[in-house]
Amino acid sequence: ENTMLLENTTKYYKEGYNCSETLTLAGNEAYNLGLDANASKLMAGFGGGCGCGHLCGALAGALGIISMLTVTDRAHNTEGFGPIRADFMKLYEEKLGSVMCNDLKAKYRTEENGCLKTCELTAELLAAYLEEKGLVK
């Protein structure tokens, strides 16, 4: 699964999906989440730091995957969900240097590949995190 998430991430980003759509679609496929095609539409608005350079869209997509794997019926009824989200956010900031799109774009974005590197780093971090926490096999 570790490599499947990364491979799917590269594939979807290169197909023209934004960062948030990419992580959502890649995670859905890698972890058999059962999301339909509308899931990428739901997450589309988070791309480009929610369109204004704020929260990284790839991170938003990763949080969506974490939610799908941990929330039973609603977040308020799911024990440990808050700490898991906060823990991943903290880890993300430590590893990538920020959770903010503008900061990450300055660091990783290229003219040739756009935000592919950020998406791939997010996928690698997410896959390792999910395995470490026992959220996937």
mmCIF file of all heavy atoms in Angstrom, residues 54-84:
data_model
loop_
_atom_site.group_PDB
_atom_site.id
_atom_site.type_symbol
_atom_site.label_atom_id
_atom_site.label_comp_id
_atom_site.label_asym_id
_atom_site.label_seq_id
_atom_site.Cartn_x
_atom_site.Cartn_y
_atom_site.Cartn_z
ATOM 1 N N HIS A 54 -3.467 29.231 1.583
ATOM 2 C CA HIS A 54 -3.515 28.880 3.006
ATOM 3 C C HIS A 54 -3.248 27.389 3.193
ATOM 4 O O HIS A 54 -2.256 26.899 2.672
ATOM 5 C CB HIS A 54 -4.827 29.336 3.623
ATOM 6 C CG HIS A 54 -4.894 30.821 3.803
ATOM 7 N ND1 HIS A 54 -5.833 31.443 4.571
ATOM 8 C CD2 HIS A 54 -4.133 31.823 3.303
ATOM 9 C CE1 HIS A 54 -5.656 32.758 4.543
ATOM 10 N NE2 HIS A 54 -4.625 33.003 3.776
ATOM 11 N N LEU A 55 -4.077 26.648 3.881
ATOM 12 C CA LEU A 55 -3.832 25.241 4.179
ATOM 13 C C LEU A 55 -3.530 24.453 2.903
ATOM 14 O O LEU A 55 -4.298 24.497 1.949
ATOM 15 C CB LEU A 55 -5.050 24.611 4.884
ATOM 16 C CG LEU A 55 -4.906 23.131 5.228
ATOM 17 C CD1 LEU A 55 -3.944 22.938 6.395
ATOM 18 C CD2 LEU A 55 -6.251 22.514 5.550
ATOM 19 N N CYS A 56 -2.426 23.726 2.903
ATOM 20 C CA CYS A 56 -2.012 22.920 1.754
ATOM 21 C C CYS A 56 -3.128 21.962 1.338
ATOM 22 O O CYS A 56 -3.670 21.232 2.172
ATOM 23 C CB CYS A 56 -0.760 22.135 2.125
ATOM 24 S SG CYS A 56 -0.265 20.902 0.914
ATOM 25 N N GLY A 57 -3.467 21.975 0.062
ATOM 26 C CA GLY A 57 -4.514 21.106 -0.455
ATOM 27 C C GLY A 57 -4.171 19.635 -0.368
ATOM 28 O O GLY A 57 -5.049 18.802 -0.125
ATOM 29 N N ALA A 58 -2.902 19.290 -0.560
ATOM 30 C CA ALA A 58 -2.482 17.896 -0.432
ATOM 31 C C ALA A 58 -2.686 17.432 1.007
ATOM 32 O O ALA A 58 -3.146 16.314 1.255
ATOM 33 C CB ALA A 58 -1.019 17.733 -0.855
ATOM 34 N N LEU A 59 -2.371 18.302 1.946
ATOM 35 C CA LEU A 59 -2.594 18.008 3.359
ATOM 36 C C LEU A 59 -4.092 17.847 3.637
ATOM 37 O O LEU A 59 -4.499 16.932 4.349
ATOM 38 C CB LEU A 59 -1.990 19.112 4.230
ATOM 39 C CG LEU A 59 -2.289 19.059 5.729
ATOM 40 C CD1 LEU A 59 -1.874 17.728 6.344
ATOM 41 C CD2 LEU A 59 -1.598 20.218 6.432
ATOM 42 N N ALA A 60 -4.908 18.707 3.067
ATOM 43 C CA ALA A 60 -6.367 18.593 3.238
ATOM 44 C C ALA A 60 -6.854 17.241 2.716
ATOM 45 O O ALA A 60 -7.673 16.575 3.354
ATOM 46 C CB ALA A 60 -7.080 19.739 2.526
ATOM 47 N N GLY A 61 -6.337 16.827 1.567
ATOM 48 C CA GLY A 61 -6.690 15.522 1.019
ATOM 49 C C GLY A 61 -6.254 14.387 1.938
ATOM 50 O O GLY A 61 -7.001 13.431 2.157
ATOM 51 N N ALA A 62 -5.060 14.505 2.491
ATOM 52 C CA ALA A 62 -4.551 13.501 3.426
ATOM 53 C C ALA A 62 -5.432 13.427 4.676
ATOM 54 O O ALA A 62 -5.743 12.337 5.163
ATOM 55 C CB ALA A 62 -3.101 13.822 3.815
ATOM 56 N N LEU A 63 -5.854 14.581 5.173
ATOM 57 C CA LEU A 63 -6.750 14.602 6.335
ATOM 58 C C LEU A 63 -8.090 13.958 6.003
ATOM 59 O O LEU A 63 -8.701 13.302 6.849
ATOM 60 C CB LEU A 63 -6.944 16.037 6.835
ATOM 61 C CG LEU A 63 -5.727 16.680 7.490
ATOM 62 C CD1 LEU A 63 -5.965 18.164 7.728
ATOM 63 C CD2 LEU A 63 -5.364 15.976 8.795
ATOM 64 N N GLY A 64 -8.538 14.126 4.762
ATOM 65 C CA GLY A 64 -9.755 13.455 4.319
ATOM 66 C C GLY A 64 -9.617 11.942 4.365
ATOM 67 O O GLY A 64 -10.536 11.234 4.791
ATOM 68 N N ILE A 65 -8.456 11.447 3.949
ATOM 69 C CA ILE A 65 -8.191 10.005 3.986
ATOM 70 C C ILE A 65 -8.158 9.524 5.436
ATOM 71 O O ILE A 65 -8.754 8.497 5.783
ATOM 72 C CB ILE A 65 -6.852 9.662 3.273
ATOM 73 C CG1 ILE A 65 -6.878 10.095 1.807
ATOM 74 C CG2 ILE A 65 -6.524 8.178 3.413
ATOM 75 C CD1 ILE A 65 -8.023 9.574 0.979
ATOM 76 N N ILE A 66 -7.475 10.272 6.294
ATOM 77 C CA ILE A 66 -7.438 9.928 7.719
ATOM 78 C C ILE A 66 -8.864 9.891 8.283
ATOM 79 O O ILE A 66 -9.224 8.974 9.025
ATOM 80 C CB ILE A 66 -6.549 10.919 8.505
ATOM 81 C CG1 ILE A 66 -5.074 10.710 8.130
ATOM 82 C CG2 ILE A 66 -6.751 10.757 10.015
ATOM 83 C CD1 ILE A 66 -4.124 11.767 8.661
ATOM 84 N N SER A 67 -9.674 10.855 7.909
ATOM 85 C CA SER A 67 -11.068 10.891 8.370
ATOM 86 C C SER A 67 -11.827 9.647 7.926
ATOM 87 O O SER A 67 -12.539 9.025 8.719
ATOM 88 C CB SER A 67 -11.784 12.132 7.834
ATOM 89 O OG SER A 67 -11.193 13.306 8.326
ATOM 90 N N MET A 68 -11.671 9.292 6.658
ATOM 91 C CA MET A 68 -12.371 8.115 6.128
ATOM 92 C C MET A 68 -11.970 6.837 6.866
ATOM 93 O O MET A 68 -12.774 5.937 7.035
ATOM 94 C CB MET A 68 -12.097 7.949 4.630
ATOM 95 C CG MET A 68 -12.861 8.899 3.742
ATOM 96 S SD MET A 68 -14.663 8.700 3.810
ATOM 97 C CE MET A 68 -14.867 7.008 3.236
ATOM 98 N N LEU A 69 -10.727 6.776 7.302
ATOM 99 C CA LEU A 69 -10.225 5.571 7.973
ATOM 100 C C LEU A 69 -10.503 5.554 9.470
ATOM 101 O O LEU A 69 -10.356 4.509 10.101
ATOM 102 C CB LEU A 69 -8.718 5.428 7.727
ATOM 103 C CG LEU A 69 -8.314 5.095 6.289
ATOM 104 C CD1 LEU A 69 -6.828 5.301 6.083
ATOM 105 C CD2 LEU A 69 -8.724 3.660 5.941
ATOM 106 N N THR A 70 -10.889 6.692 10.048
ATOM 107 C CA THR A 70 -11.033 6.743 11.506
ATOM 108 C C THR A 70 -12.423 7.132 11.999
ATOM 109 O O THR A 70 -12.825 6.692 13.078
ATOM 110 C CB THR A 70 -10.012 7.726 12.128
ATOM 111 O OG1 THR A 70 -10.162 9.006 11.525
ATOM 112 C CG2 THR A 70 -8.590 7.243 11.947
ATOM 113 N N VAL A 71 -13.149 7.945 11.259
ATOM 114 C CA VAL A 71 -14.456 8.403 11.727
ATOM 115 C C VAL A 71 -15.498 7.313 11.471
ATOM 116 O O VAL A 71 -15.605 6.811 10.356
ATOM 117 C CB VAL A 71 -14.872 9.726 11.038
ATOM 118 C CG1 VAL A 71 -16.293 10.122 11.415
ATOM 119 C CG2 VAL A 71 -13.903 10.841 11.410
ATOM 120 N N THR A 72 -16.235 6.974 12.510
ATOM 121 C CA THR A 72 -17.251 5.931 12.364
ATOM 122 C C THR A 72 -18.545 6.512 11.796
ATOM 123 O O THR A 72 -18.943 6.165 10.695
ATOM 124 C CB THR A 72 -17.495 5.223 13.710
ATOM 125 O OG1 THR A 72 -17.639 6.208 14.735
ATOM 126 C CG2 THR A 72 -16.337 4.309 14.050
ATOM 127 N N ASP A 73 -19.191 7.398 12.520
ATOM 128 C CA ASP A 73 -20.396 8.034 11.961
ATOM 129 C C ASP A 73 -20.238 9.546 11.873
ATOM 130 O O ASP A 73 -20.578 10.146 10.876
ATOM 131 C CB ASP A 73 -21.670 7.631 12.721
ATOM 132 C CG ASP A 73 -21.659 8.048 14.187
ATOM 133 O OD1 ASP A 73 -20.572 8.349 14.716
ATOM 134 O OD2 ASP A 73 -22.738 8.060 14.802
ATOM 135 N N ARG A 74 -19.712 10.166 12.923
ATOM 136 C CA ARG A 74 -19.363 11.578 12.843
ATOM 137 C C ARG A 74 -18.180 11.854 13.767
ATOM 138 O O ARG A 74 -17.947 11.129 14.724
ATOM 139 C CB ARG A 74 -20.519 12.513 13.122
ATOM 140 C CG ARG A 74 -21.411 12.184 14.269
ATOM 141 C CD ARG A 74 -22.564 13.180 14.310
ATOM 142 N NE ARG A 74 -23.875 12.856 14.720
ATOM 143 C CZ ARG A 74 -24.502 11.702 14.841
ATOM 144 N NH1 ARG A 74 -23.890 10.605 14.579
ATOM 145 N NH2 ARG A 74 -25.731 11.616 15.226
ATOM 146 N N ALA A 75 -17.455 12.903 13.424
ATOM 147 C CA ALA A 75 -16.195 13.186 14.120
ATOM 148 C C ALA A 75 -16.371 13.296 15.633
ATOM 149 O O ALA A 75 -15.545 12.797 16.393
ATOM 150 C CB ALA A 75 -15.568 14.464 13.565
ATOM 151 N N HIS A 76 -17.452 13.934 16.068
ATOM 152 C CA HIS A 76 -17.653 14.143 17.508
ATOM 153 C C HIS A 76 -17.813 12.833 18.270
ATOM 154 O O HIS A 76 -17.563 12.780 19.459
ATOM 155 C CB HIS A 76 -18.874 15.040 17.764
ATOM 156 C CG HIS A 76 -18.640 16.460 17.391
ATOM 157 N ND1 HIS A 76 -17.726 17.268 18.032
ATOM 158 C CD2 HIS A 76 -19.191 17.229 16.413
ATOM 159 C CE1 HIS A 76 -17.731 18.468 17.482
ATOM 160 N NE2 HIS A 76 -18.604 18.473 16.488
ATOM 161 N N ASN A 77 -18.235 11.780 17.578
ATOM 162 C CA ASN A 77 -18.450 10.489 18.238
ATOM 163 C C ASN A 77 -17.259 9.544 18.093
ATOM 164 O O ASN A 77 -17.329 8.407 18.515
ATOM 165 C CB ASN A 77 -19.688 9.791 17.647
ATOM 166 C CG ASN A 77 -20.964 10.525 17.958
ATOM 167 O OD1 ASN A 77 -20.957 11.500 18.702
ATOM 168 N ND2 ASN A 77 -22.064 10.070 17.396
ATOM 169 N N THR A 78 -16.190 10.007 17.482
ATOM 170 C CA THR A 78 -15.055 9.136 17.193
ATOM 171 C C THR A 78 -13.906 9.434 18.147
ATOM 172 O O THR A 78 -13.264 10.472 18.058
ATOM 173 C CB THR A 78 -14.598 9.316 15.737
ATOM 174 O OG1 THR A 78 -15.711 9.060 14.885
ATOM 175 C CG2 THR A 78 -13.473 8.359 15.395
ATOM 176 N N GLU A 79 -13.681 8.490 19.045
ATOM 177 C CA GLU A 79 -12.627 8.658 20.043
ATOM 178 C C GLU A 79 -11.254 8.677 19.378
ATOM 179 O O GLU A 79 -10.970 7.875 18.499
ATOM 180 C CB GLU A 79 -12.687 7.503 21.050
ATOM 181 C CG GLU A 79 -11.850 7.765 22.285
ATOM 182 C CD GLU A 79 -12.070 6.728 23.376
ATOM 183 O OE1 GLU A 79 -13.202 6.224 23.493
ATOM 184 O OE2 GLU A 79 -11.100 6.451 24.087
ATOM 185 N N GLY A 80 -10.432 9.626 19.778
ATOM 186 C CA GLY A 80 -9.073 9.700 19.265
ATOM 187 C C GLY A 80 -8.931 10.435 17.945
ATOM 188 O O GLY A 80 -7.816 10.667 17.491
ATOM 189 N N PHE A 81 -10.048 10.822 17.328
ATOM 190 C CA PHE A 81 -9.964 11.467 16.018
ATOM 191 C C PHE A 81 -9.250 12.814 16.094
ATOM 192 O O PHE A 81 -8.374 13.093 15.282
ATOM 193 C CB PHE A 81 -11.372 11.626 15.421
ATOM 194 C CG PHE A 81 -11.389 12.323 14.078
ATOM 195 C CD1 PHE A 81 -10.697 11.799 13.005
ATOM 196 C CD2 PHE A 81 -12.095 13.502 13.897
ATOM 197 C CE1 PHE A 81 -10.705 12.429 11.768
ATOM 198 C CE2 PHE A 81 -12.116 14.143 12.672
ATOM 199 C CZ PHE A 81 -11.416 13.594 11.606
ATOM 200 N N GLY A 82 -9.596 13.635 17.064
ATOM 201 C CA GLY A 82 -8.946 14.943 17.224
ATOM 202 C C GLY A 82 -7.442 14.834 17.376
ATOM 203 O O GLY A 82 -6.687 15.461 16.632
ATOM 204 N N PRO A 83 -6.999 14.003 18.320
ATOM 205 C CA PRO A 83 -5.553 13.833 18.490
ATOM 206 C C PRO A 83 -4.845 13.281 17.255
ATOM 207 O O PRO A 83 -3.728 13.692 16.957
ATOM 208 C CB PRO A 83 -5.455 12.853 19.662
ATOM 209 C CG PRO A 83 -6.700 13.079 20.434
ATOM 210 C CD PRO A 83 -7.757 13.397 19.418
ATOM 211 N N ILE A 84 -5.493 12.367 16.530
ATOM 212 C CA ILE A 84 -4.873 11.813 15.316
ATOM 213 C C ILE A 84 -4.667 12.920 14.287
ATOM 214 O O ILE A 84 -3.588 13.045 13.707
ATOM 215 C CB ILE A 84 -5.733 10.663 14.730
ATOM 216 C CG1 ILE A 84 -5.609 9.432 15.613
ATOM 217 C CG2 ILE A 84 -5.312 10.337 13.307
ATOM 218 C CD1 ILE A 84 -6.601 8.330 15.286
#
